[in-house]
Amino acid sequence: MAEDKFEQAKGNIKETVGDATNNEDLEQDGKKDKASGKAKEVVDNAKDKASEVIDKFKK
């Protein structure tokens, strides 16, 4: 989970630096990193919720 947040932060920095320096490649890389980190976070959250539901049924 921490890796997801790190990837999002890294992407945000790349995007900001790319925008500030007019480096479109860096800016796009940053956007991809942010999106990837967010997607991984969503998947991890879904896994956690599914595990919670399964645990409730086991009891």
Side-chain angles (χ1 to χ4, degrees):
M1 193 92 97
E3 298 94 22
D4 306 335
K5 292 289 186 188
F6 176 76
E7 190 168 350
Q8 289 178 48
K10 179 178 73 171
N12 192 41
I13 292 168
K14 282 183 177 181
E15 183 179 3
T16 301
V17 171
D19 184 45
T21 60
N22 290 325
N23 183 334
E24 291 218 9
D25 290 335
L26 186 59
E27 187 176 352
Q28 291 303 314
D29 281 347
K31 288 180 180 181
K32 288 177 188 174
D33 286 347
K34 280 183 8 181
S36 175
K38 185 63 177 172
K40 289 176 185 176
E41 181 180 15
V42 168
V43 168
D44 285 343
N45 287 340
K47 285 180 184 177
D48 290 343
K49 294 291 182 188
S51 291
E52 289 174 17
V53 170
I54 291 168
D55 288 343
K56 284 182 183 179
F57 281 111
K58 285 181 178 179
K59 292 180 181 181

